[in-house]
Amino acid sequence: MPNARATHLTRRGILAAGGALGLGAVLAACGDEDASKNGGSDSTKAAEKSGPWTFKDDRGTTVKLDKAPANIVAFTGVAAALFDYGIEVKGVFGPTKTKDGKADVQAGDMDISKLTILGNEWGQFNIEKYAGLAPDVLVSTMFDSAGTLWYVPEESKDKILKLAPSVGVSVFDIQMPKPLQRMLELAESLGADVKSAKIVEAKKKFETAAERLRKAAKARPEIKVLAGSASQDIFYVSGSNFSIDLEYFKALGVNIVEPSAKALKASGGWFENLSWENVDKYAADVIIMDDRTSTIQPADITEATWKKLPAVKAGQVIARTPEPILSYDKCTPILDNLAEAIENAKKVA
C-alpha cells in the first residue's frame, strides 16, 4: 500500500497494494467529516507522562517535545491501536465512518462520535480542522521505504507537516510482530502501562495464536491459501512480499499462492490484476478476502466465475485484514481464524 509519490504505482495500485484493496474511485465510505472535537473513549486512560518526550520512528527521525504529546492526530488504524493501549487521540484521518454512519472496520473499538474526523476518504485532509486541534504530533503508518505517511495527501503534505512533528511506523516488507512491537513502544512512550495484566495477556494470546497457525500449516502443507480482493472489474491476487500479514503467514509455514513474477513486477511487487473471466487462474483451497470497506465483500460478488471456484463452493472463504490494527488484541483473531480455516479445510484445489 505505498503512497502515490512513492514506489512506482498508480493511485489504483496504491489502493490495491497489500492485499489489493483497490479500487480506484471506490475508496471507502463517504466523507462526512463532522464529529465532536473531543477525542476519547470509555477505555482506561494511560498515565500522563511528565518531563521531555522523545521517540525515534521508523524513518530514523527522532521527535523531541518538552512533554509527552496530549493532542495526538493519527491515521485511523493507528488511533485504534493506541486506543487498545489506553491512549486517546483528538483527531483521525483515513477510513473511519461507513456510508451508514457506523464505525469503519479500521476504527476498531473507538467511539468515532468523540473524534474529529479530518478526512474519511483517500485525498481528504481538512487542514483547518487539523490546525484547530493544536496538534502536538501526527502519527501514521508507512507502506514504502521512502517514509511516505499513509493517507497524508501528497498535494498538501508540506502544509500539514509544518503544523506539528510526525511519527511514522513502518508496515512495509516486514513481518507482523515487528510493527506490533513498535506500536507498543510508541504507546509506552505516551504513557501506556505495557506491563499491565491486560496487555501482557494480549501479547501471550497472540503468541499462542501464532504457534497454532504454525502447527496448522505444518500439519496441512497441501492447503493452498490465496489472498484476494474484489472490485467491480478486477480481482486482485496478492503476493506475499511486502505485506506484514502475508509475510508473517509465509514465515509460519502457510502455503501462500504467489502470482507470477511478471505480474508482480508490473504492480511494483504487490499483486496481480485478473479479469473476472480469469479468476480461476490460480488453484486455492482457502481464499482470504480483503475486509476493507473499499472492496466488494464475498457475499456481494455476483460473478459466476467466482461462484464456481472450488474454495467458494466448499465455503472455504474467510476475511483477510490487509491493514491490521496494530495491537495484539486485534491481531490475535487474524491468526486464529486462518489457523482454523487451514485445520478444517478440505483439499479442493
Side-chain angles (χ1 to χ4, degrees):
M1 275 171 272
N3 197 313
R5 72 182 178 85
T7 75
H8 348 287
L9 300 183
T10 63
R11 181 176 182 275
R12 176 177 289 273
I14 295 161
L15 298 176
L21 92 145
L23 327 174
V26 189
L27 204 144
C30 162
D32 181 2
E33 297 177 359
D34 293 330
S36 164
K37 289 193 176 182
N38 297 317
S41 69
D42 295 327
S43 67
T44 303
K45 292 185 178 180
E48 290 188 10
K49 300 276 284 186
S50 59
W53 180 82
T54 65
F55 187 81
K56 186 175 182 179
D57 75 358
D58 292 336
R59 299 170 297 184
T61 299
T62 300
V63 178
K64 298 181 180 181
L65 299 174
D66 293 337
K67 59 181 181 179
N71 295 341
I72 302 168
V73 172
F75 173 69
T76 303
V78 171
L82 292 175
F83 180 93
D84 285 352
Y85 294 128
I87 306 297
E88 299 178 358
V89 307
K90 290 294 180 68
V92 295
F93 54 94
T96 306
K97 184 186 295 187
T98 62
K99 291 180 180 179
D100 58 6
K102 296 180 181 179
D104 187 275
V105 64
Q106 295 194 61
D109 295 331
M110 294 188 296
D111 182 350
I112 62 172
S113 70
K114 295 181 179 180
L115 297 170
T116 297
I117 302 175
L118 303 174
N120 199 60
E121 298 183 30
W122 182 262
Q124 287 185 348
F125 196 110
N126 190 316
I127 300 176
E128 253 182 65
K129 279 188 178 182
Y130 179 56
L133 292 174
D136 294 318
V137 69
L138 178 149
V139 190
S140 190
T141 48
M142 302 181 299
F143 284 89
D144 61 27
S145 59
T148 307
L149 297 173
W150 190 230
Y151 266 78
V152 175
E154 171 67 19
E155 60 274 15
S156 54
K157 68 178 179 63
D158 291 341
K159 291 181 180 179
I160 293 167
L161 298 179
K162 282 180 181 178
L163 295 173
S166 62
V167 166
V169 177
S170 178
V171 288
F172 173 71
D173 198 16
I174 50 177
Q175 296 174 25
M176 188 183 286
K178 178 63 175 178
L180 275 171
Q181 179 63 32
R182 291 293 285 147
M183 191 63 69
L184 186 67
E185 291 169 0
L186 175 60
E188 181 179 22
S189 79
L190 295 169
D193 179 7
V194 301
K195 295 182 180 179
S196 69
K198 179 180 178 181
I199 294 176
V200 170
E201 181 65 17
K203 187 173 182 179
K204 183 179 178 180
K205 287 182 177 179
F206 175 83
E207 292 166 349
T208 300
E211 185 58 28
R212 178 187 179 185
L213 181 54
R214 188 192 304 276
K215 288 180 178 179
K218 184 176 181 179
R220 304 293 308 278
E222 77 280 8
I223 299 300
K224 296 181 179 180
V225 177
L226 182 146
S229 185
S231 70
Q232 184 174 353
D233 300 317
I234 297 173
F235 183 80
Y236 299 90
V237 179
S238 291
S240 61
N241 293 328
F242 301 156
S243 299
I244 62 171
D245 61 333
L246 299 184
E247 283 203 18
Y248 192 42
F249 298 161
K250 183 170 65 174
L252 291 172
V254 176
N255 185 357
I256 301 289
V257 174
E258 300 285 357
S260 70
K262 182 178 180 180
L264 286 174
K265 185 177 181 181
S267 71
W270 289 93
F271 58 88
E272 179 174 358
N273 295 348
L274 296 178
S275 67
W276 284 104
E277 289 77 12
N278 296 315
V279 73
D280 60 353
K281 179 176 179 179
Y282 298 106
D285 301 292
V286 173
I287 300 175
I288 54 176
M289 288 292 288
D290 190 335
D291 68 354
R292 285 168 290 189
T293 51
S294 55
T295 68
I296 299 174
Q297 296 305 301
D300 299 319
I301 299 174
T302 59
E303 301 290 341
T305 49
W306 164 261
K307 294 181 179 181
K308 291 178 181 178
L309 293 176
V312 176
K313 292 171 70 175
Q316 295 176 177
V317 179
I318 66 170
R320 177 198 169 202
T321 305
E323 290 187 65
I325 293 170
L326 294 172
S327 72
Y328 292 105
D329 182 66
K330 294 298 184 295
C331 287
T332 295
I334 295 172
L335 303 183
D336 274 330
N337 291 343
L338 181 55
E340 182 178 10
I342 293 172
E343 289 163 354
N344 298 328
K346 297 175 183 178
K347 180 62 184 173
V348 296

